[in-house]
Amino acid sequence: MIRRIPQARERGIPDATVARLPLYLRALNGLAERGTATVSSEDLALAAGVNSAKLRKDLSHLGSYGTRGVGYDVQYLIYQISRELGLTQDWAVAIVGVGNLGRALANYGGFVSRGFRVAGLLDADPAVVGDHIAGLTVEHSDGLEAVIRKRGVSIVVIATPATAAQQVCDRVIAAGVTSILNFAPVVLTVPDGVDVRKVDLSIELQILAFHEQRKVSGGPMMAEDWAGEAG
Amino acid sequence: MIRRIPQARERGIPDATVARLPLYLRALNGLAERGTATVSSEDLALAAGVNSAKLRKDLSHLGSYGTRGVGYDVQYLIYQISRELGLTQDWAVAIVGVGNLGRALANYGGFVSRGFRVAGLLDADPAVVGDHIAGLTVEHSDGLEAVIRKRGVSIVVIATPATAAQQVCDRVIAAGVTSILNFAPVVLTVPDGVDVRKVDLSIELQILAFHEQRKVSGGPMMAEDWAGEAG
DNA sequence: GTGCCTTTGTGAAGCCATGCACAAAGTCGA
DNA sequence: TCGACTTTGTGCATGGCTTCACAAAGGCAC
C-alpha cells in the first residue's frame, strides 16, 4: 500500500541503485569543485562510501559512460546522473507545516542546489501565516490546492504534526500530486500510483540505540531475563 | 568503512528487522493509546504498513511473544520491543550544530518520548552560544569533549555544515562516542566499531524526483538521447 | 604500430530478505 | 472434556542485491 514503486524496474534500474545515485552525485560534485577531471571507480567508490564493484554495476545500469584504462569523466557523469534522476529540470516543491522542521527544510540549501525550488510554504496556524522564511511568505493551508495548481507543484513535503498528516496527504493527492515526502511519524495511506517516501528522525536514533546497547552490555545474559516475566 | 554493523546478527536479528522494529513500536503505541489490549499480526501489519508474514517473522526473531488464536498483547509487546531496542534505558544525546535543523531536532518530541534525552546543544558560532532552546542553553563546541564525558553522552547527532562534520566526528570518537547520527551531507570516515547512520534530506527528494520523472515523461525516448553527445 | 598496463563492464556465485502456505498451538463455546 | 476455529511461527521457494573475479577494451609509451 505504501512504497509500491514498480516503475523503477521498467527500464531495469533497481531501486537500490536509484537510492545510491544521489550519493554518487554528491561525491562527484565534491570532486568537480576540487577540479578533478576524471575519476576511477575505485576512487569514486571511496568518496561515496561504497564498494567499487557495486558502483560500477550501478553505473552500468545507466549506460557505458566510463573509459577503460582511464575512468569516468567527472562532468559528464554528473550530467548523466543528474539527467537520470530528473534533476536537470526544475521541480516545484511545497512544504506543508512550517514548524521547526519545516523552517529547517525551507532554509536547507541542498534543495535549491539540486534542481528543487520551494514554491510554497503553508501552515494551518494563523500565528505562523505571514512569516517570511527563506524569501517566501507563509500562506494559510486553506489555499493548498490553489498553490499546487497555480505554481505547478509536483512534490509535496509534509512536515506537519502526525495528526494532520493524513488529511494533508489526502488533499494534495486530490489536487493531483503523486510524490510525497513525509516527515510526520505516521504511516500514510495512499492509492496506487502515489509515491510516498518517509523520513523518521527518531527511527534512526532507535536503530543506533539498538547497536549501542549491544556494545555496552556485552551480549550474553540479555536474551533470558524475560523468561517468566509475563509469558 | 562505514556501516559495518556485524553486531546485529550476533544473536540473529537481521538489520532489516531491526530497522522495522521502531515502526512496529510506533503502531503499537497508537493502538495502546486507543485502549486496544491485543492485536493480531494482520491488524498490526496494516497499522505499520508492512506484510503480515514479514511482521510475524520479524517478531519471531525476538521470541514467541504471541498467543495463537488470539494475537499479541499490546503492552507486553511494547515492552519487549522497547527492551530489545534498548529504549528502556535513558540515552543521553548531544546535538552538535544548532542551525535550523539542530533546533528542530532539539524541539522534536519524538526523541524524549522514546528514551532519548537531549543532554547538550553545542555550536561553534558565538552568536548562537547562550541561546535557550528546548530548556537547554547552547554551549560552545570547544567544550564538546567535556560535555560528552561529564554527562555520559553515548550518542551524538551531527547537524553542522558539511565542512565541519568530519572534524566534529573525529572529536566525538576520540571522546569515546561510538554511535553517530549524521545529518551533514558528507560521507564520514570512522574507524571500525563506530556506528554511523545518516539522514540526507535531499537524497529522499532526489529519489522522488526520479520516480516522478518516470511518471510524466512516459518512459521511451529517454535512453537514447545521450548517444553521440560526448561518448 | 605494437605491446603493456590500467580500468571498466559483467557473468556467476552466494547471501539475504520476502512472502506463501501450512502445521502446530492455543482459545472459546457447548 | 471436546471439537471447531483462529492465529501464530516457520520451512521453503523465489527473487533481488552484493561481491568476486576476469575477460574485454582502451590509452600510452616507445
Side-chain angles (χ1 to χ4, degrees):
Chain A
M1 29 291 299
I2 259 178
R3 288 264 208 123
R4 195 87 334 234
I5 317 176
Q7 294 102 329
R9 232 164 268 88
E10 271 180 18
R11 210 180 77 216
I13 300 188
D15 286 351
T17 294
V18 173
R20 280 187 295 265
L21 290 181
L23 219 60
Y24 304 152
L25 194 53
R26 195 169 67 193
L28 284 165
N29 279 322
L31 290 169
E33 278 172 22
R34 263 172 282 144
T36 309
T38 61
V39 66
S40 69
S41 65
E42 197 70 43
D43 291 348
L44 182 53
L46 192 70
V50 302
N51 182 294
S52 71
K54 178 153 50 177
L55 171 73
R56 286 198 299 276
K57 184 148 285 186
D58 282 344
L59 294 183
S60 77
H61 285 117
L62 312 188
S64 283
Y65 296 150
T67 305
R68 298 176 190 227
V70 175
Y72 300 89
D73 182 281
V74 173
Q75 290 298 335
Y76 185 53
L77 197 52
I78 286 177
Y79 169 70
Q80 290 300 343
I81 295 180
S82 295
R83 199 178 47 77
E84 193 67 41
L85 285 172
L87 304 182
T88 50
Q89 52 188 288
D90 191 65
W91 295 102
V93 176
I95 298 175
V96 185
V98 191
N100 286 297
L101 184 59
R103 269 166 227 265
L105 294 171
N107 283 298
Y108 184 48
F111 287 176
V112 181
S113 68
R114 299 252 190 283
F116 300 102
R117 180 172 44 87
V118 180
L121 296 174
L122 301 103
D123 203 294
D125 183 0
V128 176
V129 172
D131 281 9
H132 296 279
I133 299 169
L136 279 95
T137 304
V138 177
E139 300 163 79
H140 195 279
S141 52
D142 282 351
L144 181 55
E145 290 82 359
V147 166
I148 289 172
R149 293 211 176 90
K150 286 182 187 165
R151 297 178 205 164
V153 169
S154 47
I155 300 177
V156 168
V157 176
I158 297 181
T160 65
T163 49
Q166 183 65 57
Q167 195 184 1
V168 169
C169 177
D170 294 342
R171 284 178 61 192
V172 302
I173 290 172
V177 171
T178 59
S179 292
I180 296 171
L181 181 55
N182 178 34
F183 285 88
V186 288
V187 176
L188 294 179
T189 303
V190 298
D192 278 2
V194 176
D195 195 354
V196 176
R197 295 196 67 88
K198 68 180 187 334
V199 176
D200 190 321
L201 310 173
S202 85
I203 282 183
E204 297 298 323
L205 215 47
Q206 290 174 58
I207 297 173
L208 273 181
F210 171 83
H211 293 297
E212 183 70 22
Q213 185 190 36
R214 288 295 172 92
K215 292 177 197 161
V216 293
S217 60
M221 188 221 74
M222 285 177 53
E224 277 66 45
D225 60 340
W226 61 269
E229 224 168 71
Chain B
M1 34 286 304
I2 259 178
R3 290 264 207 120
R4 195 89 332 235
I5 316 175
Q7 293 101 332
R9 235 165 265 89
E10 271 180 17
R11 211 181 76 216
I13 300 188
D15 286 351
T17 293
V18 173
R20 279 188 294 266
L21 289 181
L23 220 61
Y24 304 152
L25 193 53
R26 196 169 68 195
L28 284 165
N29 279 322
L31 290 168
E33 277 173 25
R34 261 171 285 145
T36 309
T38 62
V39 66
S40 69
S41 64
E42 197 70 43
D43 291 348
L44 182 54
L46 193 70
V50 301
N51 180 294
S52 72
K54 180 154 47 177
L55 172 76
R56 287 197 300 276
K57 185 150 287 188
D58 282 343
L59 293 183
S60 76
H61 285 118
L62 312 188
S64 283
Y65 295 147
T67 306
R68 296 175 192 231
V70 177
Y72 300 90
D73 183 281
V74 172
Q75 291 298 335
Y76 185 54
L77 196 52
I78 286 176
Y79 170 71
Q80 291 299 342
I81 294 180
S82 295
R83 200 178 48 75
E84 192 67 41
L85 285 172
L87 304 182
T88 51
Q89 51 189 289
D90 189 65
W91 295 103
V93 176
I95 298 175
V96 185
V98 192
N100 285 298
L101 183 59
R103 272 166 223 266
L105 294 170
N107 283 298
Y108 183 48
F111 287 176
V112 181
S113 67
R114 300 253 189 284
F116 299 101
R117 182 171 44 84
V118 180
L121 296 174
L122 301 103
D123 203 295
D125 183 359
V128 176
V129 172
D131 282 10
H132 297 278
I133 298 169
L136 279 95
T137 304
V138 178
E139 299 163 80
H140 195 278
S141 51
D142 282 351
L144 181 55
E145 289 82 358
V147 166
I148 290 172
R149 292 211 176 90
K150 287 183 185 165
R151 297 177 205 164
V153 169
S154 47
I155 300 177
V156 168
V157 176
I158 297 182
T160 65
T163 49
Q166 183 65 58
Q167 194 183 2
V168 169
C169 177
D170 293 342
R171 285 178 62 191
V172 303
I173 290 172
V177 171
T178 60
S179 292
I180 296 171
L181 181 55
N182 178 35
F183 284 89
V186 287
V187 177
L188 294 178
T189 304
V190 299
D192 280 2
V194 175
D195 197 352
V196 175
R197 295 196 66 88
K198 66 180 190 334
V199 177
D200 190 321
L201 311 174
S202 83
I203 282 182
E204 297 299 323
L205 215 47
Q206 290 174 59
I207 297 172
L208 273 181
F210 171 82
H211 294 295
E212 181 72 22
Q213 185 190 36
R214 286 296 173 90
K215 293 176 196 162
V216 292
S217 61
M221 187 223 74
M222 285 178 53
E224 278 65 46
D225 59 339
W226 62 269
E229 225 168 71

